[in-house]
Amino acid sequence: MSTSTSTAPPVVDPQPAVNPQYALPELPVVKGAEPERVPIDAFRLAVAKQVAEVWDVDVEKVFAGVDTGKKGADLAVAIPRFKKGKPDEWARKILEAFKPNTAISKVENEGAFLLFTINKETFTYHMLRTINLASRAARNNPTSKTLHYGTTDEGQGKHMLIDFSSPNIAKPFHAGHLRSTIIGAVISNLHEAMGWKVTRLNYLGDWGTQYGMLSVGFDRYGSEEELVRDPIQHLFKVYVRINQDKAEETERFNKGEITDAESTVHAAAKRVFKAMEDVTKLGDEKALAQWRRFRELSIEKLKETYAKLNIHFDVYWGESQVSKESMQRAIEICEAKGLTCEDRGALLVDLTKYKMDKAIIRKADGTTIYLTRDLGGAFDKWNTYHFDKHIYVVQAAQSLHFRQLYKTLELMGEEFAGRFEHVSFGMVTGMSTRRGTVVFLDDILEEATETMHEQMRSNEAKYAQVEDPETTSAVIGSTAVKIQDLSGKRINDYAFDMRRCTSFEGDFGPFIQYSHVRLCSVQRKNPNVPVPVSVDEIDVSLLDHPKVHEIIYHLALYPTAVRNAFQYNEPSTIVTWCFRISHLVGSAWETIKVAGAEEESAKARLFLYITTRDVLANAMKLLSLTPIERM
């Protein structure tokens, strides 16, 4: 049997030697195990090796079946997973042959399970050592995304294109866009943590008949001064007013007060958009120039909003950027493959046999629609990015559209058809502030900031120590909004509650920030305690306490949390981990004190808290949060 401690490259080069006192036994090389980067893998391998030898089972299969967090044990193996017959007989074979070592100190049998106890001191040493080395390597290489503890480079060479946020120009940045923005940012970060190259694309709703409406509306109600000051809000007001005109005209038309349909706002808007799409039309350049200006001003304003959320995009694309050639190509392929039918002059792709109904790809007036632009856009993006995976982060209500898109691409025979994934999410209700119904995201963030600022002011002594209280309150406010969104499973609906999400009581965003601040304060409040550079400068035996073991064990589960969050595109997995470590630190705070402890104990405890702080900060950054040091 070949032996090694890891197939992964060391996180620090050259890597300091392991203290011989904590040297691990020879471990098998198993695909998927990374004992140098994920210490708990080493202890799972130690269990797998003994079980595989006694039961004559493949060690790789046993390793996959060594579970964490089951039956109250450090590690557990379900006997029926590997052996038929009476579990107690198979358990007895393990109990008789078991040899304690520096990794595993004890094994017990409980029903159908073998329960293994980790050597706590060895485990603590390797956990602190691994996190410390990873943190040092990451600090020395700040642009790397795969050196921090919990990350991996296994996705190296793969490219993920992600389409998220996607607000409509001149319409409110509503709750669905907010959820897409927050969830998409985390999924992007998770892919980078797994070694993927990520391109963040914001596919703006910047085309369609509504822009004809906006153009007509701006001619009637637009203000250059207001447009420059706040383009999104002003264009939204214009859009609302012109739609009110349209509704009034429709009512008058139905009553017979207006007889010429071509004189209505709706008809004028359709003509403008038709002219925008048809470059052979005279006069289209005026509408296009105006549209470009609306778009550019809106993007600049959006960038300011995204900066408040600590979120960025690599590309601002949109429906308008899809090439006419690609859309026409998609229509021609659909027709050539017999996928289409006509209905009152419109062209549809017929997906009824796949229980997806029919979907329009060209309207009766010859203009395009969402599906046409997505079909053409998929081809354009493939030619530009040659992605291995393309994720769309869009609410669940759009599931049918994406099923139609993917099935049409498949039936068209596109080589990239199987590389798409729709990451859906539930609805959010109740997004209102004390001022009334929220229209814009900036309103939400502004109120969250004000609320946190008020709470910070309530403690004058601490408030005086905060260098930039305005920025700090803005960071905590955005944390509150994000964590309320991310704390539940993304597919679930939830009710937005400003009062609850900004509370320091309970599992909300401010609690995570508070926990990080607390961990940062340990070093500040104990300036006379030497800060250890490495685990070899502390006496690990002085950390032998149940509350320390709970913290260390939860730190050990962090790489699994990252992997699971990545695999299922589920940010709540990381949020749950953050809440748990925060509670464990809070529980240990009064017992595992640095202040007043004997120097060697103080050093060991300080090292524990600094190490924990590093991992919590990294988890927060995956969630697109900005960890703060004072509040």
Side-chain angles (χ1 to χ4, degrees):
M1 180 188 295
S2 60
T3 60
S4 170
T5 52
S6 177
T7 57
V11 292
V12 174
D13 187 23
Q15 197 169 29
V18 171
N19 184 329
Q21 180 183 349
Y22 302 113
L24 293 169
E26 281 194 333
L27 301 173
V29 175
V30 169
K31 185 179 180 181
E34 287 189 289
E36 280 192 0
R37 297 185 72 149
V38 185
I40 203 166
D41 278 3
F43 294 79
R44 292 174 63 213
L45 284 169
V47 168
K49 181 182 178 183
Q50 292 209 36
V51 171
E53 289 174 350
V54 174
W55 284 352
D56 193 23
V57 180
D58 180 63
V59 69
E60 200 165 305
K61 291 180 179 177
V62 179
F63 173 76
V66 179
D67 294 320
T68 57
K70 281 192 175 179
K71 308 293 286 185
D74 294 332
L75 300 170
V77 174
I79 298 169
R81 180 169 177 169
F82 302 102
K83 290 297 180 181
K84 295 178 181 178
K86 295 180 179 180
D88 58 331
E89 292 181 2
W90 289 107
R92 188 165 57 250
K93 292 178 183 289
I94 298 294
L95 295 176
E96 291 172 354
F98 177 73
K99 297 174 183 176
N101 53 41
T102 53
I104 307 298
S105 60
K106 187 171 68 173
V107 61
E108 298 173 282
N109 172 221
E110 184 181 308
F113 287 87
L114 287 168
L115 309 179
F116 294 85
T117 300
I118 285 173
N119 184 313
K120 298 295 193 294
E121 191 173 323
T122 304
F123 187 51
T124 298
Y125 172 86
H126 282 276
M127 279 299 306
L128 295 178
R129 177 179 184 273
T130 300
I131 296 170
N132 173 255
L133 290 174
S135 295
R136 286 159 57 188
R139 281 194 293 271
N140 291 335
N141 300 273
T143 59
S144 173
K145 305 289 187 182
T146 57
L147 288 176
H148 288 290
Y149 172 65
T151 64
T152 177
D153 54 9
E154 66 181 39
Q156 194 169 15
K158 294 181 180 179
H159 183 195
M160 192 268 284
L161 176 66
I162 183 166
D163 173 340
F164 65 105
S165 191
S166 305
N168 296 304
I169 303 298
K171 288 188 180 180
F173 195 112
H174 65 65
H177 296 132
L178 175 60
R179 293 213 74 190
S180 173
T181 305
I182 295 171
I183 293 168
V186 180
I187 291 173
S188 301
N189 295 341
L190 287 167
H191 276 73
E192 287 180 332
M194 300 300 285
W196 287 62
K197 175 188 175 184
V198 174
T199 299
R200 295 163 172 83
L201 183 145
N202 198 339
Y203 184 73
L204 302 172
D206 63 356
W207 202 243
T209 306
Q210 68 265 34
Y211 292 97
M213 290 288 290
L214 190 60
S215 178
V216 173
F218 195 79
D219 288 343
R220 287 191 187 182
Y221 304 116
S223 161
E224 274 296 317
E225 184 181 339
E226 290 186 43
L227 177 68
V228 173
R229 186 171 67 247
D230 194 339
I232 294 176
Q233 195 151 27
H234 180 57
L235 291 176
F236 173 62
K237 288 177 180 177
V238 167
Y239 189 72
V240 168
R241 289 192 69 180
I242 197 65
N243 272 281
Q244 289 171 345
D245 289 355
K246 176 187 170 186
E248 290 170 7
E249 286 184 352
T250 301
E251 186 177 343
R252 291 175 61 202
F253 184 82
N254 291 337
K255 289 179 179 178
E257 296 174 9
I258 297 177
T259 56
D260 182 8
E262 290 304 305
S263 68
T264 63
V265 166
H266 181 64
K270 288 183 72 174
R271 285 194 297 272
V272 171
F273 180 58
K274 186 76 166 66
M276 288 169 68
E277 282 219 309
D278 188 349
V279 295
T280 65
K281 285 274 187 183
L282 294 175
D284 69 294
E285 188 51 44
K286 173 182 176 291
L288 281 171
Q290 185 187 59
W291 161 82
R292 286 190 199 100
R293 188 154 179 265
F294 291 167
R295 186 180 190 274
E296 288 165 7
L297 286 169
S298 296
I299 288 174
E300 288 308 308
K301 185 66 178 177
L302 282 169
K303 286 179 179 178
E304 293 177 15
T305 300
Y306 291 130
K308 294 176 185 176
L309 290 168
N310 191 31
I311 288 169
H312 74 280
F313 291 90
D314 302 301
V315 183
Y316 283 86
W317 213 50
E319 296 177 80
S320 66
Q321 308 297 297
V322 179
S323 69
K324 292 179 174 60
E325 294 78 12
S326 294
M327 288 187 281
Q328 186 57 36
R329 171 185 174 276
I331 291 170
E332 289 174 0
I333 292 176
C334 287
E335 288 181 308
K337 289 185 175 284
L339 306 176
T340 59
C341 61
E342 289 197 14
D343 183 7
R344 289 171 288 184
L347 188 68
L348 301 88
V349 61
D350 188 356
L351 301 173
T352 50
K353 70 164 76 172
Y354 305 102
K355 300 181 180 179
M356 295 184 207
D357 210 346
K358 297 174 182 177
I360 297 174
I361 55 174
R362 186 178 63 214
K363 291 193 281 189
D365 65 0
T367 56
T368 59
I369 196 166
Y370 297 120
L371 182 57
T372 333
R373 295 193 278 272
D374 277 349
L375 290 169
F379 183 73
D380 285 345
K381 286 182 283 187
W382 169 251
N383 283 336
T384 302
Y385 300 106
H386 292 285
F387 45 80
D388 295 280
K389 183 196 296 187
H390 184 358
I391 288 177
Y392 294 87
V393 186
V394 184
Q395 62 186 18
Q398 297 296 316
S399 292
L400 175 59
H401 168 77
F402 285 101
R403 286 170 55 219
Q404 290 173 332
L405 171 64
Y406 301 158
K407 177 54 73 173
T408 303
L409 289 169
E410 177 191 324
L411 295 173
M412 286 170 62
E414 299 286 31
E415 61 177 307
F416 51 85
R419 302 184 182 216
F420 294 86
E421 186 176 350
H422 174 208
V423 173
S424 59
F425 52 85
M427 301 285 287
V428 53
T429 59
M431 284 205 124
S432 60
T433 67
R434 289 172 290 194
R435 302 184 189 89
T437 301
V438 168
V439 173
F440 294 95
L441 173 60
D442 281 345
D443 297 335
I444 302 166
L445 295 177
E446 183 180 335
E447 179 158 325
T449 297
E450 289 174 2
T451 302
M452 301 320 305
H453 205 165
E454 287 170 12
Q455 294 197 46
M456 286 169 59
R457 280 199 193 97
S458 65
N459 188 324
E460 291 183 13
K462 287 187 177 180
Y463 186 78
Q465 295 175 7
V466 179
E467 289 183 8
D468 186 350
E470 286 77 17
T471 300
T472 300
S473 57
V475 170
I476 305 172
S478 69
T479 298
V481 171
K482 288 181 181 180
I483 293 300
Q484 180 169 228
D485 192 286
L486 297 171
S487 57
K489 298 288 186 185
R490 60 176 163 76
I491 201 60
N492 294 341
D493 299 342
Y494 79 92
F496 182 85
D497 188 327
M498 181 68 77
R499 183 186 59 79
R500 291 183 74 238
C501 81
T502 53
S503 172
F504 280 94
E505 302 295 325
D507 286 355
F508 300 106
F511 174 52
I512 295 175
Q513 287 284 11
Y514 174 69
S515 298
H516 182 264
V517 167
R518 234 182 173 187
L519 287 166
C520 291
S521 73
V522 184
Q523 192 173 339
R524 285 199 306 269
K525 291 180 178 179
N526 296 277
N528 297 324
V529 178
V531 179
V533 175
S534 76
V535 70
D536 294 309
E537 295 180 15
I538 68 168
D539 183 348
V540 176
S541 68
L542 297 174
L543 292 173
D544 185 16
H545 191 284
K547 291 194 179 297
V548 172
H549 298 324
E550 287 182 330
I551 291 173
I552 291 293
Y553 192 81
H554 195 61
L555 290 173
L557 300 181
Y558 177 66
T560 302
V562 175
R563 183 175 294 278
N564 287 343
F566 161 80
Q567 184 176 349
Y568 300 107
N569 294 311
E570 190 56 78
S572 65
T573 304
I574 304 296
V575 178
T576 300
W577 186 91
C578 288
F579 281 138
R580 178 64 180 152
I581 198 69
S582 297
H583 282 294
L584 291 173
V585 168
S587 175
W589 203 249
E590 294 304 319
T591 307
I592 314 300
K593 291 183 177 181
V594 175
E598 182 271 328
E599 183 173 310
E600 289 304 312
S601 289
K603 278 173 58 180
R605 293 172 180 185
L606 177 60
F607 193 73
L608 167 72
Y609 287 131
I610 289 173
T611 303
T612 304
R613 178 200 68 197
D614 286 349
V615 183
L616 177 59
N618 293 335
M620 293 170 71
K621 289 172 185 175
L622 282 182
L623 296 170
S624 77
L625 307 180
T626 302
I628 56 177
E629 297 185 5
R630 292 180 185 267
M631 65 192 296

